[in-house]
Amino acid sequence: MIGSEQVAAAVSSELLDRAKQEHWADDRLWLRLVQYQHNFFGGYKSSGESAKFFLSPEGRTHPDLELQATLSALQENKMKIHSRDGNFEDPVACVFPARKLWLEKKAGVKFPSPKCERFERFKEILQPQSLTYVFSSYYLNNPASAFGHTFLRINKAPSAKDGERYELADYGVGYAAVKVSDNPFVYSFLGVSGMMPGTFDINPYYYKVREYNDFESRDLWEYDLTFNSEEVEMVIAYIWELLDVNFNYHYFTENCSYRILSILEVARPSLELTEHLKSQVMPADTVQTIFQQPGLVGRIHYRPSVRATFEQRYRGLTDLAKKRMRGFARDESILNLTHGLNAPEKRESLDAAIDYLDYRYPKEILKKEGKYFFKKEILISRAELGGASEPLKVPEPWSEAPHDAQGSRRWGLGYREWNKDKYYLLDVKEALHDLLDAKSGYPPTAEITMGYLGLSLNPESNELALDRAILYEVVSLSSQDDFNHGVSWRLKFSVERGYENNCSGLCRWTELSGGSGVSKALWSDLDLSFWIRVTTQTSSDFQGNTWRIGAGPGLSLRWNRDAFALMAETYYRYDYKGMNSEFRQSSLGINWSMNQSLSLRMTGADDQSIRRLEGRLLYYY
């Protein structure tokens, strides 16, 4: 008589033979499930760093061996795997439910189904119904968030009680680096080099809203995905597999956006999202990637930040109420805020004051300290007035929607006349946006440049030279008004070529410069900034000393609207240890965005009475 173990062994052997013959290990979905990537020598290597992610000792580099081990473990139903914290021990089918789902569908059989209490509880908490891809806008005060952030929202079904959807009760799934150092230079180095661990996390959506919308005043753009129930089930199963796994976090490649897209590819094999990503994966680029996939995106929603909410509330006030609100921002007096206003104006002003405190003091409000108690006073005053407030609708700023942005990378071809010399120009920029680029889809008051290389060719001497290389440059314009007192700032680390103090002619130097200033929005498209800038330069081309440091004031005026942008700057610097102690520079730039891919840019500059004129055709992709 044949025992049950012999039957299981026979079935397992038959499946293994079939898997080999039909090359299941080469199936794109299997390769995606275990995060395999081609290596330099033509083989495979999984990006998963945790040993428990593999059932075969050689599973990280051999998809076929990992498939065989998985088939055998699911069929035999004996192996147990410890959780990362060591507190739980689950069967293979409960640790890898996504692999089980796919292999059952591929083989046309059902594997033993042990009781998976933790996984079932996980699904019960999530109550998954649909999925939404969320983009959190740019936040320049944190280098890790300067390029935006994306995560996945798991949407619950409408409430059985009233049929309403309560989005804050949904769950957000993200991927982020594990913070291993508070030193920003160490953190940046580890993130760029891929030497920092990254993990998936899952939190209630209200936690994400509080972090991005409230603490950091970042807008959220939500893209509903058209996944059916079977695909949603696969996403949930795969997220469960990944929650206990470490990966190497790469700031520019295998980052938050890349990992989330890899989950979506597992649920819908026809998608090719990660294969066609750029070498530097920008979160905004991934929004465009999913938006361009036919039939993948349904509705688009905009969730305004607490700052955008307050600004909309303020715009709805009467002139007298606006005057009182501006005074409130200075003295924070409830009595002065409502003085001379009728009952409706008082209600609207108190509502605006509540939003203002949420925007101005988010951490104190959350920690229930400081201004939290003042907010309670305003809430009491508002309750005493009675009457319901009209729901506030913040119009969608479609010009800032990330799916409509120009490409984050750029090529440029151009021509220059400089001190009677002529040059042909070629430049490339890896990321992201400058102040003359079209504002659509990007922060309208910020410049973020990382990885710029400019070359010039002198046709008379045939000299090919490095003109400029920018490792990192940020310019953040924080327009001051009655409610915002932040300072503008700038930082740049680069190699430059030009006519400078300490140079008898053209020379090249390494520069670290920065500054802070005050910006003012004169109109919606025009801003004026006054700067105090500091510059440190070093070069073997300098005469006398090979380094110097200088400081001085600067002034910039920028107008950027629709397809046209203009920026004028002037800068004075007094140099310590310079051959000439004073340096002056004035410049003017004009940009015309012909479409989403092409721009024409003209710039002119006067450096110490040496004039430079340039014209470039820019291609964004």
Side-chain angles (χ1 to χ4, degrees), residues 511-558:
E511 176 176 316
L512 176 63
S513 60
S516 63
V518 177
S519 298
K520 181 71 175 179
L522 305 179
W523 288 283
S524 60
D525 304 305
L526 182 66
D527 47 67
L528 176 68
S529 301
F530 175 77
W531 299 94
I532 296 296
R533 298 169 59 176
V534 178
T535 302
T536 301
Q537 299 170 325
T538 181
S539 175
S540 59
D541 293 338
F542 288 167
Q543 297 181 1
N545 293 286
T546 59
W547 67 273
R548 67 160 177 270
I549 184 170
L555 190 69
S556 62
L557 182 70
R558 184 187 66 137

Side-chain angles (χ1 to χ4, degrees), residues 313-329:
R313 186 88 68 182
Y314 175 76
R315 282 191 287 268
L317 299 177
T318 63
D319 290 342
L320 179 57
K322 286 180 179 177
K323 180 179 179 181
R324 296 284 186 266
M325 190 67 228
R326 292 193 294 270
F328 177 81

Side-chain angles (χ1 to χ4, degrees), residues 15 27 41 58 95 107-108 139 159 242 268-269 272 302 317 331 348 409 463 499 523 577 602:
L15 277 179
D27 191 291
F41 300 101
E58 300 177 83
V95 176
Y139 184 61
S159 170
L242 298 177
R268 186 176 291 180
E272 294 186 357
Y302 165 71
L317 299 177
D331 58 32
E348 292 170 355
R409 299 172 74 176
E463 178 194 22
Y499 295 90
W523 288 283
K577 288 186 178 293
M602 305 293 294

Side-chain angles (χ1 to χ4, degrees), residues 263-319:
I263 293 177
L264 303 182
E265 287 182 323
V266 165
R268 186 176 291 180
S270 62
L271 293 175
E272 294 186 357
L273 303 175
T274 59
E275 287 91 337
H276 302 297
L277 289 175
K278 302 167 186 174
S279 56
Q280 281 73 39
V281 181
M282 298 291 112
D285 289 339
T286 65
V287 174
Q288 296 177 29
T289 297
I290 67 164
F291 187 77
Q292 292 165 2
Q293 293 287 322
L296 180 57
V297 174
R299 295 185 59 190
I300 302 173
H301 309 270
Y302 165 71
R303 182 178 288 274
S305 67
V306 65
R307 176 177 180 174
T309 300
F310 164 69
E311 290 175 345
Q312 181 63 23
R313 186 88 68 182
Y314 175 76
R315 282 191 287 268
L317 299 177
T318 63
D319 290 342

Side-chain angles (χ1 to χ4, degrees), residues 180-234:
V180 295
S181 173
D182 291 325
N183 185 307
F185 295 102
V186 173
Y187 182 88
S188 299
F189 172 76
L190 294 177
V192 171
S193 62
M195 298 173 61
M196 191 157 46
T199 60
F200 285 89
D201 60 46
I202 184 165
N203 293 288
Y205 191 52
Y206 68 79
Y207 180 88
K208 299 286 189 182
V209 169
R210 184 177 66 192
E211 178 183 1
Y212 300 126
N213 258 166
D214 300 343
F215 278 11
E216 300 175 353
S217 287
R218 299 165 70 178
D219 296 328
L220 297 179
W221 290 90
E222 304 165 338
Y223 296 80
D224 291 342
L225 305 178
T226 59
F227 282 14
N228 59 37
S229 58
E230 183 179 337
E231 292 169 332
V232 172
E233 180 186 13
M234 189 63 163

